[in-house]
Amino acid sequence: MAGVARFRKGILRAALATTAVATAGAAWTGSYVSSSDPVEARSEAAAAVAQRMVSADWKVPSRSMQEMSLRGCTAANPLDILVIGGGATGCGVALDATTRGLRVGLVERDDFAAGTSSRSTKLVHGGVRYLEKAFFKLDYGQLKLVFHALEERAQILQNAPHLCKPLPTMTPCYEWWELPYYWVGLKAYDLVAGTRMLHLSRYFSKKESMEAFPTLAVKNSLQKTLKGTVVYYDGQMNDSRLNIAIACTAALAGATVLNHAEAVQLKKDPKTGKVIGARIRNNLTNKEFDVYANVVVNAAGPFCDEVRTLADGKESHIISPSSGVHIVLPDYYSPDHMGLIVPKTKDGRVVFMLPWLGRTVAGTTDSAAALTMRPEPHEEEIQFILDAISDYLTVKVRRSDVMSAWSGIRPLATDPNVKDTDTASISRDHVVCVDPDGLVTVTGGKWTTYRSMAEDAVNAAIKTGSLRPGQDCLTHELPLMGAYGWDPAFFTVLSQTFIRMKRSYGGKIVPGAMDSAAAKHLVDSYGGLAPRVAQIAQEEGLGKRIAHGYPYLEAEVAYCARHEYCESVVDFIARRARLAFLDTNAATRALPRVIEILAAEHGWDRHRKKMELEDAKAFLETFKSARNAQFDDGKHSKMHA
């Protein structure tokens, strides 16, 4: 039997790699030998799920088919679970439940990752700060958080290696006592990680530090001289693309997922008072329909109180929204492969400065916030980040260098079952609660632990609805869409195999090279499915970049519209590509061409194209780059290009 199992696994492994790469299109005629073991499912049950994805040719069901499927979920034929919310946790719930053999639907009123899940620090981390608290306050709960987060960090890097990679981060020391303090602390971080450790942390001398991070200040604002640094490793991700990979993997595994679909009312059984479904509005057509389910899971992030109010307006609030602001700066602020952590700012906060997608992202802040779908950063929060990093850099830190700035709302959660009402009951950990009407709510936590949050929520839903799953949770061993067929050197195959056919200003289609920058970008974004995007660039004349200085191709717009539920211009520029987060000016310039391609894919008329342009411009106005911000504090003076 063991031999048969190994044989089946070997066949599946070969099929996965072949499907993801060799069948990308007719242009693919070469062969590719991976320099490392390909990603594969790690159990028979997970392999069976992966085989279903292979059988579907890695193509998700169309949006119209998904809506039709949801409309068929009547009182006589209900879903097992209906998930409200398409962020990381909600999509994680859908993936977990469907791979257990349950019948699952998910609705999201905007787009997948439209809220908090696309506005993170981009770190997949165990929580160095929590470890410090655990030791100094002898807090075993904080230590458990770190253990758990490090385990989940390892799962994410293993299941989505194309979207998540290890990143070294430097901790500068300007006092002699800081060197042993941070060295011991980060060695403890290594120890807690155990076999899940990415790389050993290590001490860098002053010379080594300057070589690794040339813009690091030799003297800080207090005129203290750099003594050395301690470098440790955590993970870094492309957060919204990871969220979309989870959503699409769930759809491939059998879940019915529908973005731009809002739960406007929760339906209750008139006899028992239990929640048995929801009234859904398709926000693209404004048409409404009912969806019935044995259990409804509320995974609406910072908006979960709104969903609870749909069930019972008297429910207590469990969310304390907190705003986290980030800014994006040019690449010269940090080296390509080294981050920087400011362990303690003047007011005691922690600020990161990290290389990300060819730029530098810095943040974050932590302040009370009002709930809104499109939060905006306050100028004082942007100035705080600029001031914090300027103390540690030789670069002249300028407000005019801010290419994009955004705010994300963290859903800090209070467990309604805890009677204590002081701030100690507000947790950075996640909360899963079941209301008397049977509504299951999961909220709080952080990106790194999305998978285990989803697992806990599904367990609660199974218990609440007396559901009968076919098997236990599989998501810890199930690679996400794009992971199959991926290899770090795969970009070389794209460069050697495909060309970019581009439309010139005169309308003529001319060939261009699939340069390394474009090939690496495609592989890092789409993993083993990158050849399919390259195929569109080659065969449909969509090989031109949509923004100067960035690797995003026109072919990606078409691919995302066809295979990633990209339904609007903002869906693309913010979450399929990351132009809005990287450079609002470049995103603005790209709008006309993105609209043109999406209009061709979705059949938009002139009115819809105008509405899309207006909405995209309004969206980009909430990203306070130097161009659209108002500031003049005498320190970071505004400069116009």
Side-chain angles (χ1 to χ4, degrees):
M1 290 296 290
V4 172
R6 284 194 298 271
F7 174 76
R8 286 178 59 194
K9 255 185 127 173
I11 291 294
L12 174 62
R13 177 171 168 169
L16 293 171
T18 301
T19 302
V21 181
T23 64
W28 175 264
T29 57
S31 61
Y32 177 58
V33 180
S34 172
S35 61
S36 61
D37 290 336
V39 177
E40 61 176 276
R42 296 180 294 281
S43 74
E44 288 289 322
V49 173
Q51 184 60 62
R52 289 204 299 271
M53 300 180 194
V54 171
S55 299
D57 195 25
W58 304 102
K59 294 178 180 178
V60 298
S62 69
R63 190 174 189 280
S64 60
M65 288 180 62
Q66 297 288 60
E67 181 175 343
M68 188 181 302
S69 179
L70 282 180
R71 286 177 177 270
C73 299
T74 62
N77 183 35
L79 295 165
D80 289 315
I81 296 175
L82 172 64
V83 185
I84 298 175
T89 304
C91 291
V93 170
L95 178 59
D96 187 317
T98 196
T99 53
R100 296 198 205 192
L102 298 173
R103 189 163 172 242
V104 184
L106 178 147
V107 292
E108 160 58 47
R109 67 178 172 183
D110 197 322
D111 183 27
F112 306 120
T116 308
S117 295
S118 62
R119 297 167 180 259
S120 72
T121 310
K122 323 304 178 192
L123 285 175
V124 184
H125 62 106
V128 173
R129 291 170 291 167
Y130 304 142
L131 185 63
E132 185 180 29
K133 292 177 183 177
F135 282 126
F136 279 95
K137 296 183 179 180
L138 300 178
D139 188 337
Y140 180 63
Q142 294 283 347
L143 186 60
K144 282 176 62 179
L145 280 178
V146 178
F147 270 113
H148 179 59
L150 286 169
E151 183 176 345
E152 292 300 316
R153 181 187 73 177
Q155 301 291 354
I156 292 177
L157 267 73
Q158 185 167 275
N159 291 337
H162 57 305
L163 296 170
C164 310
K165 297 175 177 62
L167 176 71
T169 303
M170 182 175 283
T171 308
C173 302
Y174 291 90
E175 300 277 3
W176 283 114
W177 64 266
E178 290 178 330
L179 284 172
Y181 178 82
Y182 290 121
W183 186 88
V184 170
L186 292 169
K187 284 299 178 184
Y189 195 55
D190 293 345
L191 184 63
V192 172
T195 57
R196 300 178 296 273
M197 178 177 59
L198 301 178
H199 293 281
L200 276 171
S201 60
R202 57 160 291 195
Y203 161 74
F204 275 35
S205 67
K206 177 181 174 181
K207 180 181 178 182
E208 289 174 312
S209 300
M210 298 308 298
E211 289 174 349
F213 206 114
T215 55
L216 184 64
V218 177
K219 289 188 177 182
N220 65 11
S221 59
L222 299 176
Q223 296 304 304
K224 300 285 186 179
T225 303
L226 181 70
K227 305 300 188 294
T229 61
V230 183
V231 175
Y232 73 100
Y233 285 78
D234 255 326
Q236 188 179 49
M237 63 177 169
N238 187 335
D239 52 5
S240 67
R241 287 214 56 83
L242 180 57
N243 195 153
I244 289 159
I246 299 166
C248 291
T249 305
L252 286 167
T256 303
V257 300
L258 193 66
N259 56 351
H260 300 284
E262 182 175 359
V264 294
Q265 177 188 352
L266 292 185
K267 306 189 75 65
K268 288 189 174 183
D269 187 314
K271 295 180 179 179
T272 65
K274 297 293 184 181
V275 175
I276 56 170
R279 181 76 174 170
I280 306 300
R281 180 175 62 226
N282 182 334
N283 284 334
L284 299 179
T285 64
N286 286 322
K287 294 181 179 180
E288 296 186 0
F289 55 94
D290 292 332
V291 176
Y292 288 84
N294 291 317
V295 182
V296 174
V297 174
N298 171 15
F303 298 95
C304 72
D305 282 332
E306 289 186 12
V307 177
R308 296 176 80 228
T309 301
L310 291 177
D312 186 346
K314 296 180 180 179
E315 287 291 351
S316 61
H317 289 273
I318 64 174
I319 290 297
S320 297
S322 170
S323 169
V325 171
H326 296 82
I327 64 175
V328 169
L329 299 161
D331 56 351
Y332 56 73
Y333 273 79
S334 65
D336 287 341
H337 302 293
M338 180 68 73
L340 182 74
I341 178 173
V342 178
K344 187 168 288 188
T345 60
K346 293 173 182 176
D347 64 351
R349 303 189 212 179
V350 172
V351 170
F352 289 93
M353 193 174 76
L354 311 168
W356 183 63
L357 300 182
R359 296 293 180 261
T360 300
V361 61
T364 181
T365 61
D366 191 351
S367 57
L371 275 177
T372 173
M373 287 292 291
R374 292 181 175 179
E376 298 184 24
H378 296 299
E379 191 59 34
E380 59 268 23
E381 294 173 308
I382 296 174
Q383 301 292 359
F384 164 79
I385 298 171
L386 291 170
D387 289 339
I389 64 174
S390 67
D391 290 342
Y392 292 83
L393 297 177
T394 57
V395 178
K396 183 179 180 181
V397 179
R398 305 180 301 180
R399 178 62 174 87
S400 57
D401 282 340
V402 176
M403 306 172 76
S404 184
W406 72 86
S407 173
I409 299 177
R410 303 184 191 93
L412 302 184
T414 304
D415 192 333
N417 299 315
V418 176
K419 301 300 181 184
D420 183 12
T421 58
D422 66 17
T423 54
S425 64
I426 298 176
S427 176
R428 296 276 174 171
D429 198 4
H430 68 275
V431 170
V432 178
C433 63
V434 182
D435 291 331
D437 56 18
L439 178 68
V440 177
T441 295
V442 54
T443 190
K446 59 182 181 177
W447 232 117
T448 307
T449 57
Y450 88 89
R451 192 208 62 81
S452 63
M453 290 170 62
E455 182 179 355
D456 290 347
V458 174
N459 289 340
I462 290 170
K463 183 177 180 181
T464 299
S466 299
L467 305 178
R468 296 183 178 180
Q471 55 209 15
D472 293 333
C473 177
L474 298 176
T475 52
H476 61 286
E477 57 183 1
L478 182 69
L480 299 178
M481 188 176 80
Y484 297 102
W486 174 86
D487 182 272
F490 189 30
F491 74 94
T492 60
V493 180
L494 261 66
S495 292
Q496 294 176 340
T497 306
F498 295 96
I499 58 175
R500 295 189 292 121
M501 300 300 292
K502 304 178 290 184
R503 187 178 299 275
S504 67
Y505 289 109
K508 185 179 180 181
I509 302 295
V510 296
M514 182 64 73
D515 54 277
S516 293
K520 286 180 180 178
H521 157 69
L522 291 180
V523 170
D524 287 346
S525 298
Y526 304 93
L529 297 176
R532 299 190 178 192
V533 186
Q535 186 93 24
I536 295 172
Q538 177 171 287
E539 293 190 348
E540 300 182 29
L542 294 175
K544 195 173 183 179
R545 285 175 163 82
I546 62 171
H548 179 71
Y550 293 89
Y552 300 108
L553 305 182
E554 295 172 332
E556 295 179 67
V557 185
Y559 177 85
C560 293
R562 298 170 194 175
H563 304 298
E564 290 188 354
Y565 301 118
C566 179
E567 302 296 328
S568 75
V569 176
V570 172
D571 287 358
F572 184 79
I573 63 169
R575 293 173 288 271
R576 304 313 184 280
R578 306 312 306 274
L579 266 180
F581 288 83
L582 292 170
D583 187 338
T584 58
N585 295 343
T588 301
R589 292 192 297 270
L591 292 179
R593 184 56 178 148
V594 174
I595 290 173
E596 186 180 354
I597 298 170
L598 285 177
E601 293 293 327
H602 293 312
W604 292 347
D605 59 18
R606 184 179 300 177
H607 176 71
R608 175 64 187 272
K609 289 192 283 188
K610 180 182 177 182
M611 295 293 291
E612 287 288 332
L613 181 61
E614 291 175 355
D615 183 62
K617 287 182 176 179
F619 175 80
L620 290 172
E621 282 295 318
T622 67
F623 286 68
K624 299 301 181 183
S625 67
R627 180 174 180 177
N628 62 13
Q630 298 297 321
F631 58 89
D632 185 10
D633 67 348
K635 183 183 294 185
H636 309 291
S637 58
K638 184 170 183 177
M639 296 172 61
H640 296 278

